[in-house]
Amino acid sequence: MSFTTPHVEFLNDLDNYLPLGTLILPLDPSSSLGNQFEESYPEAVYSGDLDRDHQARELHRSVWALLCLGWLRAFARKHPQAPEQIQVRVYVLPADVGGKYMERTDKHWDHLKKLMKYIDTSSERWRGTQPLKLPDKEGNHSTLEHRPENQDSLFYIFNTLPSPTPSSAVSCPVSSHAISCLLGGLNEVPGLRTNLYAYQRRSAAMMIRREVQPMRTLDPRFEEFECPTGGKYYYDRTSGLVFRSPRFYEEAKGGILAETMGLGKTLICMAAILATKGHWPSVPPQYSVEQRHTRSRVGSLMDMAAAAANRERIPWRSYLQRMSPMGEEFGNCRGILERNVPSYTVPAPEARRSRRPTNVQSGKVIRLSTATLIIVPQNLLSHWRSEIAAHINNDALQIYYVDSKESVMPPARELQLCDVVLMSKSRLEEEMSLNSNLKNPCTCAEAENSRCSAHSITSYSSPLADLHFLRIIVDEGHDFSSFGRKNNAVFALQKLQVERRWIVSGTPSSGLLGIEASTATCETLSGVDDRDSLLVKDILERRRRSGIELQLESSVQKSALLQERKDLEKLGSIVVDFLDLHPWSNTKGGNDAASWKQYIIPNDDGVRKPKSLANVLESLVVRHRVQDVEKDIKLPLLHNRTVYLEPKWHDKLSLNLFCMNLAVNAVTSERVDQDYMFHPRNRVSLNQLITNLRFSGFYWTAFTKEEVTKSIELSRKYLENKDGLEREEEGSGNLRKGDCEFLQRAIRVGEAALRSPSWTAFSAAHELGLYIDEFPQNARKAWSLTEDAPEAPLIVGASQIAKAQSYVDTHLYVSDPASGLGALGKSTMNKLWSSLQSKSTKAVKNPHHDTPNPPSPPKHRDAHLSTSIQKPATLGKRTVSRTKSIHSPKKATDERADASTAHDTASKGELMPNRHPSALKSALKSSLSTQPVDPIDRSSILSRTRLSGTASAKLSYLLDRIIVLHKSEKILIFYEGDNIAFYIAQALELLGIQFLIYTGSLSALRKSAYITTFNATETFRVLLMDVHQAAHGLHIATASRVFFVNPVWQPTVEAQAIKRAHRIGQQRPVYVETLVLKDTLEDLMLKRRKNMSAQEHHKAEKSLLDDDIMQQLIKAADFIPLLPEEADDIRKQMAPLQKPQRLFGRLNRGEAESHDPDKDLIFPDGMQVSNRKRKASTMDNGISRGSLASKQKKVGFGI
């Protein structure tokens, strides 16, 4: 390469170069080098060692390429302490020096990266005061490219981020005042009625601090190093770039509010909004040049003053509002200020060149707004409204609620007057969609004006796009991130003009999970005072190293690496697409494009860039460490224990039948080909089988008599094959010793089930089995599901006994309430068996009538697996109790009105034909009294009829606990599988305990109503919730008793569920109980889960079968012993209740059928779900609460 004179002068000046380090090379005996440094680079010397010779060639090519380019200068001499070696001092030309003299291309920086592997950067080596060593196969340990010794896990980095320490020293005096208000003490934030904890004040203040004065940080791609002669330089390990001067980027005006679950993230956001009420955003720099509007004529002094106030971003709205209580309205002043609100113009995109004449498009005018746009999941809309009502004064904020797709979005000029616009994520996507079905709002004086111009515009234009919002807050914002592509929410957000952006999520991704999720699932240790702090230290230390550093097995390493990559991809989506954080969001293909994947996501060997990730997280995340939060607040104690129950007869049969299916399949298929259930192609069916097996730990009726019979026949046929027996004895193929004996045990299990009258009846009817004592003798046979034994409890299904209960309770005041009960039983049972026969091509045997049609055997080889590998049909859809509870919060006046209505009805002669006048008088009297009167005579057998037990050990235990606790505490029950919730609901209905079921099939409106009602009233004492619906955002701190009816495989899911109740606002200690059947597969599953590492959990997150040890445990699952006395004794088969419960004449049961279950629910704006003309949105000068204010009580501090 030839250089001009200025170029040569520049290259000859050694001050333009950085002293980089020392190279160690072997001395060629023919070399003429002396003991003084001279500018030269010796030829490569080869030793005959292949590895060393390869290194020498690579180093030689890189050095000479850089020397020829003028990017490098080298000075060599014989080493004074090692004459057989050459010491070479290397100087490099930084990338930010000499740009006008030479071209710097990316491909040549690769040579510098290779050179860095061999450069020794220590000052001792540079001076030559220590002996030098030739680089070995691992490279010299003083090089910049040396791999760091410790690789902290993503979990550890996230949980050890420093807690926020905000300062009010910012350049903007208005924002400085807002921060000072937050940090100042009690009640310093105008409009906030709730006292903040110190950590909440710091978090809200840090949010404002980062918004108004984001720090300038070193480009995260570069690391700072020291030259061997002193001084600093900056090196990018990925690209090979070396800079003399640091390069800085501004942090995002926003970030991720990631305070742990239950510590008040909603309240923190509201505090930040109130503290910055009326603050104006800035005009974006790219639009601020030449944007100052010129008046057509000289404006008035007030107009010019108003324009100047708006240019200086003075929060005049909040000032004027604070003066209003003093009687000073400033109407004219407010109008002038509103008329001079700043705006800017976004130029129209350049039109494509065309020969046809085209209309010149004008730019789009964007008006600045002081509003905060809050985007939340649909099911959390009511939660935000209730939190706003609980913590903010009525007139503190102007809030516009958009809570459905039918809501009308007002014009931009009206939205501009709001402080907050609260809407759902789905509505935002629809609002900003190009194919939106929404219509433009009418802006005429008369709303129904048919000539309105808005009606003629076919494409919808959202008013949100016409405003530049001060801030956007996305609750549970981790859902906005996606893998590899942008989702609709991201596209919608990118069309908005917003200055400050916040994601609110305690778990931005699976790996970015707070340590409280791990501590919440640990069982309580007795006698340990400082349990939580000990757990935190232990968990942090155990999870500090990544899977690569821990040298786990390759499959677990691969899974852990894959999970970390997914987590970081999701984080990258937030950083690039939402926060627009530079340099990661720099334009692709530009001069300074930065690849998130290249710099942040681990390599194939699992090694992350040493400091980039920690630096990025620290600049984005606002989060307190656990120990810092505990200095300010101490949540009520969390007691977590596992309750081990002895499985009862039907529990054993259900679990054994699943094991029988697995055993028959394994042995008869000889564990080969696709017939074997554990073959990879059967993975979907096997996963469903394992899921069903776990559900059967609570209760299961999906097996049919025909399937069990088929399994027995298939097993016997195999055992009759002598060739199979001989091969088992020889141990040939995939047969194992003992397989045939295992198959014989499976046959005995199936035969035990077929001989059990109660099992065949429950399975045929798909009913929850209940046991009733002291049932009227003349009606026992009519209601029994089996051949009745008078001395034993009556065996009946829950659905059937509910009808008997309803019949008696509606006839309590006739002379004989049990009259007709037998006839109703015969009718009910005949309808049951007839309906089952009509639904199946095979006849179902009625225990009261023989049927001539024997079951026809299935034709398919694996027909015996049909129900065990299918998702069970949902047995019920009702999710709200029809029972009218004694805890219903109706006022005394309402009760008297109901009584008077009943009296009026009686006077009109509309009584039931069999009602006795004296009984009616007694009923009216009891309705007006404060102490209800028992409607059944104590001498009647109906008063002694008791629910004695159930067919499920877990259900009986759960009912015992609910009966004891529900009057004093609210109860939260987590389940997996909707049928489990249905079974529990049937039992609660019989006991007159009101419940709600929160399941995934509910509409968003009903989900919100259930949570609001459960928290705000005393009506519903029990909330059953699908554990997978409890992951994020829900606040249920009114519940202090938590039950898991089955152990949860994923600890993070369990922890999220527990934190729904154990959070700020909880006033009681929280007791968590996980129900486990002793010595069963779920017992083994829980023990395995407790011993798994975090990496193993990541690997098996979606399925138990992804864990090799768990898969082996399933394959080796054994039968639970069946005791002979259980087979014949009905009382030993049932799971008894500690205290048998009265069945008939329970308080308020008589109103159950006529009671509207939705009457006690609190829907948004006080509207019932049946009112289809619900007001979709409200806007007021304060808070719109509807009927919520009359029923809701303050339950604590927010999410």
Side-chain angles (χ1 to χ4, degrees):
M1 178 180 294
S2 59
F3 298 108
T4 60
T5 300
H7 292 180
V8 172
E9 292 178 355
F10 172 79
L11 296 176
N12 285 338
D13 187 353
L14 194 59
D15 292 338
N16 293 325
Y17 290 78
L18 282 172
L20 193 60
T22 308
L23 278 176
I24 310 99
L25 301 174
L27 179 65
D28 187 347
S30 61
S31 174
S32 59
L33 280 175
N35 295 327
Q36 300 298 321
F37 283 106
E38 56 184 78
E39 188 167 5
S40 65
Y41 186 77
E43 294 290 338
V45 176
Y46 302 111
S47 62
D49 184 287
L50 294 179
D51 290 331
R52 289 191 180 278
D53 288 350
H54 172 73
Q55 292 179 1
R57 291 189 182 93
E58 180 182 57
L59 175 62
H60 187 76
R61 285 195 297 266
S62 298
V63 171
W64 278 105
L66 294 172
L67 287 172
C68 293
L69 291 169
W71 293 14
L72 205 71
R73 295 182 67 176
F75 296 83
R77 71 168 181 177
K78 287 183 181 179
H79 196 280
Q81 297 186 13
E84 70 281 3
Q85 294 178 0
I86 298 177
Q87 178 187 4
V88 181
R89 287 181 175 176
V90 177
Y91 295 79
V92 66
L93 184 65
D96 56 344
V97 175
K100 68 177 182 179
Y101 296 110
M102 57 179 55
E103 183 181 357
R104 320 294 287 273
T105 58
D106 293 340
K107 65 179 182 179
H108 297 308
W109 289 111
D110 289 338
H111 292 301
L112 186 58
K113 283 179 59 179
K114 295 176 182 177
L115 173 61
M116 286 295 191
K117 293 190 298 184
Y118 306 100
I119 289 285
D120 191 313
T121 58
S122 65
S123 57
E124 293 82 3
R125 305 294 196 276
W126 180 270
R127 295 193 301 269
T129 57
Q130 290 185 5
L132 300 177
K133 296 181 180 179
L134 295 174
D136 55 22
K137 296 179 183 180
E138 300 297 328
N140 194 311
H141 289 285
S142 297
T143 64
L144 300 183
E145 291 298 315
H146 173 56
R147 173 175 168 169
E149 295 180 2
N150 297 327
Q151 185 78 26
D152 289 340
S153 66
L154 184 60
F155 174 87
Y156 182 84
I157 294 174
F158 182 68
N159 281 280
T160 54
L161 291 173
S163 298
T165 53
S167 168
S168 60
V170 296
S171 57
C172 175
V174 173
S175 299
S176 178
H177 175 73
I179 297 174
S180 298
C181 287
L182 284 166
L183 298 178
L186 299 178
N187 300 322
E188 291 290 340
V189 181
L192 187 66
R193 65 163 66 119
T194 302
N195 293 332
L196 299 175
Y197 289 106
Y199 76 88
Q200 292 174 327
R201 292 179 175 277
R202 291 192 296 269
S203 293
M206 179 57 78
M207 289 177 66
I208 300 174
R209 174 74 169 74
R210 290 191 175 179
E211 289 175 344
V212 300
Q213 194 165 308
M215 295 179 62
R216 288 172 54 82
T217 59
L218 180 67
D219 188 330
R221 295 169 292 179
F222 287 84
E223 295 177 63
E224 182 182 285
F225 291 96
E226 187 173 350
C227 296
T229 59
K232 306 289 185 182
Y233 67 95
Y234 304 88
Y235 175 54
D236 179 358
R237 296 174 185 268
T238 301
S239 66
L241 288 172
V242 175
F243 276 29
R244 183 190 293 273
S245 301
R247 182 163 58 179
F248 295 98
Y249 279 99
E250 198 173 74
E251 292 180 353
K253 290 186 176 181
I256 303 173
L257 178 61
E259 293 291 3
T260 192
M261 297 176 288
L263 291 186
K265 292 188 288 294
T266 302
L267 184 55
I268 292 171
C269 292
M270 297 312 301
I273 292 172
L274 281 169
T276 57
K277 177 184 174 181
H279 291 202
W280 292 94
S282 302
V283 175
Q286 63 270 32
Y287 304 124
S288 61
V289 180
E290 298 180 0
Q291 287 285 333
R292 183 166 296 184
H293 299 285
T294 303
R295 300 179 187 273
S296 57
R297 59 188 179 85
V298 177
S300 67
L301 183 59
M302 289 190 67
D303 279 325
M304 289 189 288
N310 283 321
R311 280 198 307 272
E312 296 300 322
R313 299 188 297 157
I314 295 175
W316 50 264
R317 283 179 178 165
S318 58
Y319 292 159
L320 296 181
Q321 184 178 5
R322 287 201 293 270
M323 295 178 184
S324 294
M326 305 175 188
E328 301 179 19
E329 294 298 330
F330 298 100
N332 293 335
C333 183
R334 185 187 298 273
I336 294 173
L337 287 167
E338 295 286 2
R339 191 168 64 240
N340 287 274
V341 166
S343 63
Y344 61 91
T345 303
V346 178
E350 294 184 6
R352 294 183 178 180
R353 293 185 179 181
S354 174
R355 295 181 179 179
R356 297 180 181 180
T358 57
N359 295 327
V360 179
Q361 296 182 355
S362 59
K364 185 174 184 178
V365 177
I366 305 295
R367 296 172 61 85
L368 299 188
S369 170
T370 61
T372 294
L373 183 62
I374 302 177
I375 310 298
V376 304
Q378 183 71 39
N379 64 317
L380 295 184
L381 272 171
S382 64
H383 167 75
W384 271 81
R385 297 187 71 166
S386 63
E387 290 298 291
I388 290 171
H391 304 302
I392 297 178
N393 293 333
N394 294 350
D395 58 349
L397 293 174
Q398 289 187 349
I399 304 176
Y400 195 90
Y401 298 101
V402 187
D403 53 8
S404 72
K405 289 188 177 181
E406 290 73 30
S407 305
V408 177
M409 188 69 72
R413 285 189 176 273
E414 293 183 24
L415 281 178
Q416 193 181 30
L417 302 177
C418 299
D419 297 307
V420 173
V421 178
L422 178 63
M423 64 191 305
S424 67
K425 173 187 172 185
S426 57
R427 176 56 194 263
L428 175 68
E429 293 175 357
E430 179 73 13
E431 190 75 21
M432 307 307 294
S433 172
L434 295 176
N435 302 316
S436 176
N437 295 321
L438 300 175
K439 295 182 179 180
N440 292 290
C442 177
T443 57
C444 302
E446 298 181 6
E448 301 298 328
N449 187 350
S450 59
R451 297 184 179 181
C452 175
S453 59
H455 295 166
S456 61
I457 303 175
T458 56
S459 61
Y460 178 73
S461 176
S462 174
L464 298 178
D466 297 331
L467 296 175
H468 187 113
F469 291 95
L470 174 71
R471 180 189 294 111
I472 185 171
I473 295 175
V474 181
D475 194 13
E476 301 303 335
H478 53 271
D479 291 335
F480 278 74
S481 57
S482 57
F483 299 122
R485 62 183 180 84
K486 297 179 181 179
N487 53 31
N488 292 335
V490 172
F491 281 116
L493 289 172
Q494 289 180 338
K495 294 178 182 179
L496 297 175
Q497 303 292 336
V498 184
E499 180 176 89
R500 310 171 187 184
R501 300 167 180 257
W502 286 98
I503 291 284
V504 178
S505 175
T507 54
S509 69
S510 299
L512 295 174
L513 185 68
I515 196 170
E516 70 285 346
S518 297
T519 59
T521 58
C522 295
E523 289 193 59
T524 306
L525 303 175
S526 59
V528 179
D529 296 332
D530 202 14
R531 166 185 175 268
D532 289 343
S533 60
L534 293 175
L535 280 174
V536 167
K537 293 178 182 178
D538 178 62
I539 294 171
L540 275 178
E541 192 57 36
R542 284 192 288 110
R543 297 188 61 178
R544 179 168 187 172
R545 300 289 172 250
S546 65
I548 304 299
E549 289 292 326
L550 292 175
Q551 298 181 351
L552 300 175
E553 57 180 281
S554 59
S555 61
V556 177
Q557 281 189 17
K558 184 177 179 181
S559 174
L561 178 60
L562 180 61
Q563 181 61 46
E564 182 167 320
R565 283 180 165 177
K566 288 181 179 180
D567 291 334
L568 292 175
E569 282 182 20
K570 291 188 70 174
L571 181 63
S573 177
I574 294 174
V575 167
V576 176
D577 299 326
F578 179 73
L579 295 175
D580 192 27
L581 178 63
H582 297 283
W584 312 114
S585 61
N586 290 352
T587 306
K588 292 182 179 179
N591 294 330
D592 193 28
S595 169
W596 177 268
K597 180 178 180 180
Q598 187 178 15
Y599 282 88
I600 299 297
I601 296 179
N603 303 325
D604 292 336
D605 59 358
V607 178
R608 252 189 269 110
K609 311 305 176 294
K611 295 184 179 179
S612 298
L613 179 59
N615 293 341
V616 170
L617 286 178
E618 190 172 340
S619 69
L620 292 178
V621 175
V622 175
R623 172 186 173 83
H624 280 80
R625 294 183 181 182
V626 175
Q627 58 268 32
D628 293 329
V629 173
E630 291 178 347
K631 295 176 183 177
D632 302 327
I633 180 177
K634 192 71 174 179
L635 289 176
L637 292 178
L638 174 65
H639 304 273
N640 193 338
R641 73 185 185 109
T642 302
V643 179
Y644 292 95
L645 303 172
E646 289 289 346
K648 304 306 286 187
W649 173 255
H650 289 281
D651 299 321
K652 295 178 181 179
L653 284 181
S654 297
L655 294 168
N656 281 349
L657 287 176
F658 274 100
C659 292
M660 181 189 75
N661 272 344
L662 291 172
V664 171
N665 173 264
V667 178
T668 58
S669 68
E670 300 184 357
R671 301 179 181 85
V672 294
D673 300 329
Q674 199 168 342
D675 287 336
Y676 183 38
M677 181 53 66
F678 284 86
H679 189 277
R681 292 189 178 181
N682 296 326
R683 186 58 179 271
V684 175
S685 297
L686 181 60
N687 270 324
Q688 187 60 54
L689 185 147
I690 300 304
T691 299
N692 293 344
L693 191 158
R694 293 181 59 209
F695 292 168
S696 70
F698 187 85
Y699 190 68
W700 187 262
T701 61
F703 283 118
T704 66
K705 183 177 178 180
E706 291 74 26
E707 290 170 344
V708 177
T709 302
K710 175 61 180 177
S711 296
I712 294 173
E713 292 175 353
L714 184 62
S715 302
R716 285 175 174 162
K717 184 177 179 179
Y718 184 84
L719 290 174
E720 291 171 0
N721 185 348
K722 296 181 180 179
D723 180 53
L725 291 172
E726 292 172 356
R727 283 188 288 122
E728 186 217 10
E729 292 174 359
E730 297 172 359
S732 60
N734 288 314
L735 284 174
R736 300 170 184 171
K737 201 162 187 179
D739 273 356
C740 291
E741 192 275 333
F742 194 50
L743 206 56
Q744 291 171 346
R745 293 173 60 197
I747 293 173
R748 291 195 290 272
V749 165
E751 290 173 340
L754 295 178
R755 287 195 303 269
S756 173
S758 56
W759 180 88
T760 54
F762 296 155
S763 296
H766 296 294
E767 280 292 337
L768 170 64
L770 300 178
Y771 297 82
I772 310 296
D773 274 321
E774 300 286 344
F775 196 82
Q777 288 292 335
N778 60 350
R780 282 180 61 97
K781 187 174 181 180
W783 288 95
S784 178
L785 280 174
T786 64
E787 294 294 338
D788 186 37
E791 71 284 354
L794 171 68
I795 299 177
V796 65
S799 301
Q800 289 73 51
I801 201 63
K803 292 184 178 180
Q805 185 189 51
S806 178
Y807 177 82
V808 172
D809 286 351
T810 54
H811 292 74
L812 287 175
Y813 304 109
V814 300
S815 57
D816 183 10
S819 177
L821 187 60
L824 177 64
K826 289 181 180 179
S827 172
T828 300
M829 301 307 289
N830 284 333
K831 287 181 181 179
L832 169 66
W833 300 119
S834 298
S835 65
L836 293 173
Q837 286 178 354
S838 65
K839 292 178 182 179
S840 174
T841 57
K842 310 178 186 67
V844 180
K845 184 177 180 181
N846 186 332
H848 302 291
H849 304 282
D850 293 333
T851 177
N853 300 325
S856 55
K859 296 181 179 181
H860 192 268
R861 168 188 173 90
D862 290 329
H864 65 286
L865 293 172
S866 58
T867 56
S868 62
I869 61 176
Q870 296 175 0
K871 185 176 181 180
T874 303
L875 300 177
K877 295 182 179 180
R878 186 154 47 87
T879 58
V880 58
S881 172
R882 291 189 182 275
T883 301
K884 185 176 180 182
S885 172
I886 60 175
H887 295 284
S888 182
K890 296 192 70 175
K891 296 181 180 179
T893 53
D894 296 332
E895 294 175 357
R896 288 193 291 271
D898 292 342
S900 63
T901 302
H903 187 274
D904 293 341
T905 305
S907 66
K908 295 176 183 178
E910 298 178 2
L911 301 177
M912 293 181 64
N914 294 328
R915 282 192 183 250
H916 196 276
S918 62
L920 175 63
K921 190 178 295 183
S922 174
L924 290 176
K925 182 178 180 181
S926 69
S927 69
L928 291 170
S929 64
T930 56
Q931 297 294 332
V933 178
D934 191 340
I936 298 181
D937 193 299
R938 292 186 179 181
S939 63
S940 171
I941 191 174
L942 294 177
S943 68
R944 300 192 302 274
T945 305
R946 293 290 188 268
L947 171 63
S948 299
T950 74
S952 166
K954 289 185 178 181
L955 180 58
S956 292
Y957 177 85
L958 196 59
L959 292 179
D960 284 332
R961 299 294 288 152
I962 293 173
I963 291 167
V964 172
L965 298 169
H966 81 281
K967 292 183 180 180
S968 58
E969 299 184 64
K970 287 191 176 183
I971 300 166
L972 184 56
I973 302 174
F974 290 108
Y975 66 88
E976 292 182 85
D978 288 343
N979 282 344
I980 292 178
F982 179 69
Y983 291 135
I984 299 173
Q986 282 185 308
L988 293 178
E989 200 83 76
L990 290 173
L991 299 179
I993 299 173
Q994 285 197 278
F995 61 86
L996 295 167
I997 304 178
Y998 191 99
T999 182
S1001 60
L1002 294 177
S1003 66
L1005 175 65
R1006 193 166 278 274
K1007 285 181 178 179
S1008 298
Y1010 283 13
I1011 297 298
T1012 301
T1013 304
F1014 185 75
N1015 283 331
T1017 74
E1018 297 299 319
T1019 306
F1020 299 93
R1021 308 298 295 172
V1022 179
L1023 177 64
L1024 295 98
M1025 178 172 284
D1026 185 336
V1027 71
H1028 296 289
Q1029 295 294 315
H1032 299 288
L1034 299 179
H1035 177 89
I1036 320 176
T1038 52
S1040 55
R1041 295 283 178 167
V1042 179
F1043 293 91
F1044 291 91
V1045 297
N1046 293 103
V1048 182
W1049 174 244
Q1050 304 100 325
T1052 55
V1053 174
E1054 179 184 351
Q1056 290 275 8
I1058 293 172
K1059 297 304 287 187
R1060 298 311 102 211
H1062 190 242
R1063 58 200 299 113
I1064 290 184
Q1066 180 58 258
Q1067 304 298 318
R1068 298 170 175 261
V1070 177
Y1071 294 87
V1072 180
E1073 297 183 33
T1074 300
L1075 309 186
V1076 178
L1077 294 181
K1078 190 184 301 183
D1079 299 326
T1080 61
L1081 188 62
E1082 67 179 17
D1083 190 358
L1084 297 175
M1085 183 201 83
L1086 186 59
K1087 291 176 181 176
R1088 169 58 186 154
R1089 195 200 81 172
K1090 291 179 179 179
N1091 293 322
M1092 292 171 65
S1093 66
Q1095 289 75 19
E1096 288 172 323
H1097 276 301
H1098 282 311
K1099 178 187 175 184
E1101 184 177 18
K1102 295 183 179 179
S1103 171
L1104 282 75
L1105 298 170
D1106 290 330
D1107 180 60
D1108 296 335
I1109 295 178
M1110 195 65 231
Q1111 186 172 143
Q1112 294 303 317
L1113 291 174
I1114 295 172
K1115 289 180 179 180
D1118 202 354
F1119 299 107
I1120 305 171
L1122 298 173
L1123 303 179
E1125 57 269 24
E1126 291 178 321
D1128 302 320
D1129 191 336
I1130 292 178
R1131 290 198 179 275
K1132 290 186 177 180
Q1133 289 181 4
M1134 77 173 182
L1137 296 176
Q1138 288 184 353
K1139 182 180 180 181
Q1141 294 298 304
R1142 180 172 176 170
L1143 186 63
F1144 300 122
R1146 299 185 71 92
L1147 297 178
N1148 293 329
R1149 276 297 313 173
E1151 302 178 20
E1153 293 301 320
S1154 60
H1155 175 60
D1156 178 12
D1158 285 351
K1159 188 176 182 180
D1160 291 321
L1161 296 181
I1162 300 174
F1163 288 93
D1165 296 329
M1167 300 294 182
Q1168 301 299 319
V1169 72
S1170 58
N1171 186 355
R1172 297 187 179 182
K1173 295 183 178 181
R1174 292 179 58 252
K1175 189 178 180 182
S1177 59
T1178 59
M1179 179 179 177
D1180 60 357
N1181 193 10
I1183 312 297
S1184 174
R1185 296 189 190 133
S1187 67
L1188 189 62
S1190 62
K1191 290 188 177 182
Q1192 188 173 31
K1193 64 180 181 179
K1194 189 172 180 180
V1195 295
F1197 293 112
I1199 271 187

